[in-house]
Amino acid sequence: MITDPADSAPTTDDTNPLGEELREARAAAPCALVIFGATGDLTRRKLVPSLMGLAKDGLLPSAFAVVGFARRPWSDQKFRDTMLEGVREHGRSNTAESFEALSESFFYHEADFGEAEGYAGLKRRLEQLDHKLGTKGNRIYYLATPPSAYSVILEHLAEAGLSQEQDGRFARIIVEKPFGHDLATARALNDQIRRGFAERQVFRIDHYLGKETVQNILALRFGNGIFEPLWNEKFVDHVQITVAESIGVGTRGDYFEESGIIRDMIQNHLMQVMTLVAMEPPAALTADGVRDEKVKVLKAIQSFEPDEVEDSTVRAQYTRGSFGGEEVAGYLEEKGVASNSTTETFAAVRLQVENWRWGKTPFFLRSGKRLPRRVTEVAIHFKQPPHRLFTSGTPSSPNVLLLRVQPDEGVALRFGSKVPGPAMRIRDVRMDFRYGSAFGGETADAYERLLLDAMVGDGTLFARRDEVEEAWRIVDSIVAGWQQSGRRPATYAAGTWGPTGADQLLGPGRKWRKP
Ligand code: BG6
């Protein structure tokens, strides 16, 4: 393992990443956060616990209010009690104390998403809070409802004048995924948002971008001198991006039937990670500087012709299998799933970024449910040296630089080393950097970072309109190919690494890593 200076002699700055300097740099202005769909799971499981993580680190604005907007007949107190339970269950350690200190800034607004009076009432309530708590007319709206409610909420926000920014006050909107179902619906949603909000007011969440280790892709590539010179088709044979989950579709069968893994994971999380791996260095770390480069990657990937899809993708469904000796149901047996469903729970795709840097180097993206373990990683597989000098011992495998996004966050490098002894024998070894041992402490949830960025007004870690639409263009062409083929997806037993055909996608001499 590589030792880090911080392992042996921590300095004040190393142990306190949220020092005064950072706090000042990320100071959010006073504001009110309105959560639409506040009685849903996301609010108590993610949003409020993350807000309390920010409170614990002293990163919430000095004046702050949360207004839960939903239909259920809850009181302020019921809302506060439910959120406190959520923070206790899902928050970082000691965040329940932060909630107790802040609970009087949480309010519940009972209203129907489709009725104008609800928004007029919201406006009045927010103005009262401006006077009472000093939130200064700044608003952030969070769409945490099912997507079917987005349109009506957006329309009413605009009509009630709640989306307008006047006299230096801000009005921002955070939109949860799924962002559309295909290119046409994503465009329609973007057009609708545009009627009330300018692009700079819009924050499309992809929680993968809030993960520390995903952000570290930029730090690793552009904050060091040794990786970038190798980061191109001359040295990289191919790139594998894997997001594997051990869970099945659980209670989300109805939703998953409509989305499949390609829409649920690949269109957003995997493609976003890929753009960070493949992009050119931005001129500056500004929101548009970074996103301009990310979108160029997507633009350099051509849509598939229907007859190319079969060769460039693999899709499959899990069947009954076992986890740790326990038998689990197959996809077709899950609640909410049609018995003849063709929805894929595993997909792997080969993407070619057709530009100067990547030439013929392919990117392979794979994601699946009910795989043996939960792991997200990016593996950069380097080319073999041009001449094989060492022939004795196990042939060393190609060098791999592994960016482990979760769990065991870190970076590892696989290379060949001489086995001690009189013979010149080479074996693979690994240099390993682990976040936990280098930096210690609890890792903040991705939502903490993203909520803070939205409050600060920094859109770098949010998907821009053109990125979302380009990703849909590519995914639509894959889905069209699958539909035209009329074939059923392949199958894999739950608890295995996907269908056998997945290795063939990589081409001769390449194999998927077994993380
Ligand atoms: C969500 C998907 O966006 O991401 C889920 O809808 C998936 O199906 C989840 O389980 C995975 O997120 P994470 O952070 O647990 O890897």
Side-chain angles (χ1 to χ4, degrees), residues 437-450:
S437 51
F439 298 111
E442 272 179 304
T443 314
D445 190 273
Y447 276 90
E448 284 191 33
R449 173 64 196 259
L450 297 174

Side-chain angles (χ1 to χ4, degrees), residues 174-245:
I174 306 180
V175 189
E176 260 297 330
K177 73 171 275 252
F179 198 93
H181 181 74
D182 50 21
L183 178 56
T185 48
R187 265 195 193 139
L189 177 55
N190 275 326
D191 288 346
Q192 165 115 52
I193 293 175
R194 184 68 192 84
R195 279 182 226 127
F197 297 87
E199 182 63 29
R200 72 181 149 71
Q201 295 173 269
V202 187
F203 295 76
R204 296 173 192 79
I205 284 245
D206 185 312
H207 78 279
Y208 266 61
L209 293 178
K211 292 182 192 273
E212 276 293 341
T213 35
V214 169
Q215 294 165 53
N216 194 38
I217 297 172
L218 291 184
L220 181 99
R221 290 189 56 197
F222 306 131
N224 295 288
I226 63 169
F227 300 113
E228 208 40 31
L230 306 177
W231 215 264
N232 57 57
E233 59 103 29
K234 282 198 194 66
F235 297 97
V236 178
D237 178 73
H238 72 283
V239 177
Q240 297 183 9
I241 301 178
T242 298
V243 180
E245 290 185 281

Side-chain angles (χ1 to χ4, degrees), residues 105-153:
S105 312
F106 278 66
F107 305 90
Y108 187 74
H109 186 72
E110 179 191 334
D112 196 288
F113 300 139
E115 284 172 11
E117 308 90 80
Y119 297 82
L122 174 68
K123 196 170 182 183
R124 283 194 300 274
R125 191 131 193 207
L126 289 170
E127 282 160 5
Q128 284 160 9
L129 292 178
D130 288 339
H131 287 118
K132 189 171 157 208
L133 298 174
T135 40
K136 300 215 164 136
N138 292 323
R139 323 276 182 238
I140 301 183
Y141 307 104
Y142 199 118
L143 298 187
T145 63
S148 53
Y150 290 179
S151 171
V152 78
I153 296 171

